[in-house]
Amino acid sequence: MPILPADNLPTAWNFTSTFDLDPIERVRLIKQGAPATVPGVMARRMGMSKERLYATLGLPRATVERKASHAQLLSPDESARVLGISRLIGQVQRMVEASGQAEGFDAAGWVARWLERPLPALDGLAPATLMDTSEGQQLVANLLSRAQTGAYA
């Protein structure tokens, strides 16, 4: 698997692509494994350091960097965490598109900033503190869905 150019994600790992996939396809993608370069590309697209994204997702920096330098794939567990944040960014992008105000909106940057804000709906926790588990990622995604429908602002 070749190392990706600095700002390109493989199509399957593109933010809206991961959000749009049906659950079976997401499971297949996770089991196949993400190229280890994906988290670094995602961090750049989000405007955050790789180290911060690794910490948010509970990914061991040395392992990811070693795998990236050898053009290897992440494990299914690591890939699931990466897919979770990619899917979250895709969810935000689709929400903004549905509002009709998507032009110029940077979903990746918005998510990076939003993840750091403590939220009353999460007992004062920042969403970033929950992104290292699938349950936490689902909780954060559900919170965004509720905000879109007005159930929680």
Side-chain angles (χ1 to χ4, degrees), residues 36-61:
T37 52
V38 167
V41 174
M42 288 176 64
R44 279 190 293 283
R45 297 268 308 273
M46 295 174 76
M48 67 186 335
S49 70
K50 289 190 289 187
E51 290 73 22
R52 180 65 192 134
L53 182 61
Y54 297 160
T56 297
L57 297 177
L59 298 174
R61 183 188 63 79

Side-chain angles (χ1 to χ4, degrees), residues 4-150:
L4 299 170
D7 290 323
N8 292 332
L9 289 168
T11 302
W13 288 91
N14 191 308
F15 304 133
T16 53
S17 295
T18 57
F19 180 72
D20 293 340
L21 284 175
D22 70 55
I24 295 296
E25 289 303 315
R26 281 195 298 271
V27 169
R28 286 186 183 132
L29 196 60
I30 288 168
K31 287 184 176 189
Q32 174 187 335
T37 52
V38 167
V41 174
M42 288 176 64
R44 279 190 293 283
R45 297 268 308 273
M46 295 174 76
M48 67 186 335
S49 70
K50 289 190 289 187
E51 290 73 22
R52 180 65 192 134
L53 182 61
Y54 297 160
T56 297
L57 297 177
L59 298 174
R61 183 188 63 79
T63 300
V64 176
E65 294 290 327
R66 178 182 44 78
K67 288 180 178 183
S69 70
H70 291 96
Q72 296 176 331
L73 299 174
L74 297 176
S75 71
D77 179 58
E78 294 161 341
S79 297
R81 294 183 217 172
V82 171
L83 182 112
I85 201 159
S86 178
R87 191 167 173 239
L88 187 71
I89 295 167
Q91 177 183 357
V92 168
Q93 183 64 41
R94 290 295 188 231
M95 288 169 60
V96 172
E97 288 170 1
S99 77
Q101 304 294 319
E103 188 174 332
F105 181 73
D106 175 17
W110 185 90
V111 167
R113 293 184 300 277
W114 182 79
L115 286 172
E116 299 300 327
R117 294 184 192 133
L119 300 174
L122 298 175
D123 289 334
L125 296 173
T129 63
L130 304 172
M131 296 302 293
D132 59 344
T133 66
S134 60
E135 192 68 24
Q137 289 182 350
Q138 188 61 51
L139 181 65
V140 170
N142 289 343
L143 178 63
L144 279 173
S145 292
R146 289 195 329 257
Q148 181 182 22
T149 64

